[in-house]
PDB file of all heavy atoms in Angstrom:
ATOM      1  N   TYR A  17     123.649  86.255  68.147  1.00 87.00           N
ATOM      2  CA  TYR A  17     124.272  87.575  68.273  1.00 87.00           C
ATOM      3  C   TYR A  17     125.438  87.544  69.257  1.00 87.00           C
ATOM      4  O   TYR A  17     125.504  88.375  70.161  1.00 87.00           O
ATOM      5  CB  TYR A  17     123.261  88.605  68.773  1.00 87.00           C
ATOM      6  CG  TYR A  17     121.892  88.549  68.147  1.00 87.00           C
ATOM      7  CD1 TYR A  17     120.805  88.037  68.867  1.00 87.00           C
ATOM      8  CD2 TYR A  17     121.665  89.029  66.862  1.00 87.00           C
ATOM      9  CE1 TYR A  17     119.536  88.004  68.308  1.00 87.00           C
ATOM     10  CE2 TYR A  17     120.409  89.003  66.294  1.00 87.00           C
ATOM     11  CZ  TYR A  17     119.346  88.487  67.014  1.00 87.00           C
ATOM     12  OH  TYR A  17     118.098  88.455  66.464  1.00 87.00           O
ATOM     13  N   THR A  40     124.963  79.612  81.438  1.00 92.00           N
ATOM     14  CA  THR A  40     125.313  78.182  81.426  1.00 92.00           C
ATOM     15  C   THR A  40     126.000  77.802  82.727  1.00 92.00           C
ATOM     16  O   THR A  40     125.719  76.739  83.310  1.00 92.00           O
ATOM     17  CB  THR A  40     126.245  77.873  80.236  1.00 92.00           C
ATOM     18  OG1 THR A  40     125.563  78.178  79.023  1.00 92.00           O
ATOM     19  CG2 THR A  40     126.651  76.400  80.224  1.00 92.00           C
ATOM     20  N   ARG A 126     117.913  75.123 100.180  1.00 97.00           N
ATOM     21  CA  ARG A 126     119.267  75.342  99.684  1.00 97.00           C
ATOM     22  C   ARG A 126     119.455  76.846  99.460  1.00 97.00           C
ATOM     23  O   ARG A 126     118.671  77.473  98.752  1.00 97.00           O
ATOM     24  CB  ARG A 126     119.479  74.562  98.391  1.00 97.00           C
ATOM     25  CG  ARG A 126     120.894  74.615  97.821  1.00 97.00           C
ATOM     26  CD  ARG A 126     120.951  73.809  96.541  1.00 97.00           C
ATOM     27  NE  ARG A 126     122.211  73.985  95.834  1.00 97.00           N
ATOM     28  CZ  ARG A 126     122.391  73.726  94.546  1.00 97.00           C
ATOM     29  NH1 ARG A 126     121.362  73.253  93.830  1.00 97.00           N
ATOM     30  NH2 ARG A 126     123.557  73.917  93.967  1.00 97.00           N
ATOM     31  N   ILE A 173     105.398  82.803  77.617  1.00 95.00           N
ATOM     32  CA  ILE A 173     106.335  83.930  77.568  1.00 95.00           C
ATOM     33  C   ILE A 173     106.739  84.230  76.134  1.00 95.00           C
ATOM     34  O   ILE A 173     106.783  85.386  75.706  1.00 95.00           O
ATOM     35  CB  ILE A 173     107.568  83.659  78.446  1.00 95.00           C
ATOM     36  CG1 ILE A 173     107.155  83.554  79.914  1.00 95.00           C
ATOM     37  CG2 ILE A 173     108.609  84.755  78.264  1.00 95.00           C
ATOM     38  CD1 ILE A 173     108.265  83.112  80.841  1.00 95.00           C
ATOM     39  N   ASP A 182     106.696  92.063  67.279  1.00 95.00           N
ATOM     40  CA  ASP A 182     106.043  92.323  66.009  1.00 95.00           C
ATOM     41  C   ASP A 182     105.310  93.663  66.040  1.00 95.00           C
ATOM     42  O   ASP A 182     105.454  94.494  65.142  1.00 95.00           O
ATOM     43  CB  ASP A 182     105.061  91.190  65.691  1.00 95.00           C
ATOM     44  CG  ASP A 182     104.299  91.412  64.408  1.00 95.00           C
ATOM     45  OD1 ASP A 182     104.934  91.476  63.350  1.00 95.00           O
ATOM     46  OD2 ASP A 182     103.062  91.543  64.471  1.00 95.00           O
ATOM     47  N   TRP A 266     117.633 118.011  77.381  1.00 98.00           N
ATOM     48  CA  TRP A 266     116.820 116.824  77.677  1.00 98.00           C
ATOM     49  C   TRP A 266     115.752 116.606  76.610  1.00 98.00           C
ATOM     50  O   TRP A 266     115.556 115.486  76.141  1.00 98.00           O
ATOM     51  CB  TRP A 266     116.167 116.982  79.050  1.00 98.00           C
ATOM     52  CG  TRP A 266     117.126 116.804  80.209  1.00 98.00           C
ATOM     53  CD1 TRP A 266     118.418 116.348  80.146  1.00 98.00           C
ATOM     54  CD2 TRP A 266     116.865 117.064  81.593  1.00 98.00           C
ATOM     55  NE1 TRP A 266     118.969 116.312  81.393  1.00 98.00           N
ATOM     56  CE2 TRP A 266     118.039 116.735  82.311  1.00 98.00           C
ATOM     57  CE3 TRP A 266     115.760 117.537  82.276  1.00 98.00           C
ATOM     58  CZ2 TRP A 266     118.131 116.879  83.694  1.00 98.00           C
ATOM     59  CZ3 TRP A 266     115.840 117.676  83.664  1.00 98.00           C
ATOM     60  CH2 TRP A 266     117.011 117.351  84.364  1.00 98.00           C
ATOM     61  N   SER A 399      86.276  95.598  90.675  1.00 83.00           N
ATOM     62  CA  SER A 399      86.254  95.499  92.134  1.00 83.00           C
ATOM     63  C   SER A 399      86.531  96.818  92.846  1.00 83.00           C
ATOM     64  O   SER A 399      86.100  97.020  93.972  1.00 83.00           O
ATOM     65  CB  SER A 399      87.276  94.448  92.599  1.00 83.00           C
ATOM     66  OG  SER A 399      88.569  94.773  92.113  1.00 83.00           O
ATOM     67  N   THR A 421      92.100 117.983  86.338  1.00 92.00           N
ATOM     68  CA  THR A 421      92.176 119.285  85.683  1.00 92.00           C
ATOM     69  C   THR A 421      91.869 120.433  86.639  1.00 92.00           C
ATOM     70  O   THR A 421      91.993 121.603  86.267  1.00 92.00           O
ATOM     71  CB  THR A 421      91.203 119.350  84.484  1.00 92.00           C
ATOM     72  OG1 THR A 421      89.851 119.268  84.957  1.00 92.00           O
ATOM     73  CG2 THR A 421      91.469 118.210  83.504  1.00 92.00           C
ATOM     74  N   GLU A 424      93.790 123.090  91.797  1.00 92.00           N
ATOM     75  CA  GLU A 424      94.407 122.846  93.098  1.00 92.00           C
ATOM     76  C   GLU A 424      94.735 121.381  93.353  1.00 92.00           C
ATOM     77  O   GLU A 424      95.286 121.052  94.394  1.00 92.00           O
ATOM     78  CB  GLU A 424      93.489 123.373  94.205  1.00 92.00           C
ATOM     79  CG  GLU A 424      93.297 124.887  94.174  1.00 92.00           C
ATOM     80  CD  GLU A 424      92.418 125.396  95.289  1.00 92.00           C
ATOM     81  OE1 GLU A 424      92.135 124.615  96.212  1.00 92.00           O
ATOM     82  OE2 GLU A 424      92.002 126.563  95.226  1.00 92.00           O
ATOM     83  N   ARG A 449      98.188 120.909  95.504  1.00 88.00           N
ATOM     84  CA  ARG A 449      99.393 121.653  95.153  1.00 88.00           C
ATOM     85  C   ARG A 449      99.837 122.490  96.348  1.00 88.00           C
ATOM     86  O   ARG A 449      99.034 122.877  97.199  1.00 88.00           O
ATOM     87  CB  ARG A 449      99.126 122.546  93.944  1.00 88.00           C
ATOM     88  CG  ARG A 449      98.709 121.737  92.718  1.00 88.00           C
ATOM     89  CD  ARG A 449      98.649 122.583  91.460  1.00 88.00           C
ATOM     90  NE  ARG A 449      98.090 121.790  90.372  1.00 88.00           N
ATOM     91  CZ  ARG A 449      98.749 120.882  89.664  1.00 88.00           C
ATOM     92  NH1 ARG A 449     100.021 120.650  89.938  1.00 88.00           N
ATOM     93  NH2 ARG A 449      98.156 120.213  88.683  1.00 88.00           N
ATOM     94  N   TYR A 470      75.222 112.483  89.956  1.00 85.00           N
ATOM     95  CA  TYR A 470      75.507 111.247  90.691  1.00 85.00           C
ATOM     96  C   TYR A 470      76.985 110.874  90.659  1.00 85.00           C
ATOM     97  O   TYR A 470      77.414 109.944  91.352  1.00 85.00           O
ATOM     98  CB  TYR A 470      74.647 110.088  90.152  1.00 85.00           C
ATOM     99  CG  TYR A 470      74.831 109.800  88.676  1.00 85.00           C
ATOM    100  CD1 TYR A 470      75.820 108.940  88.234  1.00 85.00           C
ATOM    101  CD2 TYR A 470      73.981 110.378  87.730  1.00 85.00           C
ATOM    102  CE1 TYR A 470      75.980 108.671  86.877  1.00 85.00           C
ATOM    103  CE2 TYR A 470      74.126 110.123  86.376  1.00 85.00           C
ATOM    104  CZ  TYR A 470      75.134 109.258  85.953  1.00 85.00           C
ATOM    105  OH  TYR A 470      75.289 108.999  84.621  1.00 85.00           O
ATOM    106  N   MET A 487     105.131  99.369  91.547  1.00 75.00           N
ATOM    107  CA  MET A 487     105.035  99.843  90.174  1.00 75.00           C
ATOM    108  C   MET A 487     104.435 101.236  90.076  1.00 75.00           C
ATOM    109  O   MET A 487     104.216 101.750  88.989  1.00 75.00           O
ATOM    110  CB  MET A 487     104.201  98.870  89.339  1.00 75.00           C
ATOM    111  CG  MET A 487     104.900  97.574  89.035  1.00 75.00           C
ATOM    112  SD  MET A 487     106.450  97.805  88.118  1.00 75.00           S
ATOM    113  CE  MET A 487     105.839  98.478  86.589  1.00 75.00           C
TER     114      MET A 487
END
Side-chain angles (χ1 to χ4, degrees):
Y17 316 106
T40 299
R126 185 180 171 200
I173 296 172
D182 178 63
W266 286 351
S399 56
T421 65
E424 295 181 12
R449 300 189 187 281
Y470 58 87
M487 288 300 296

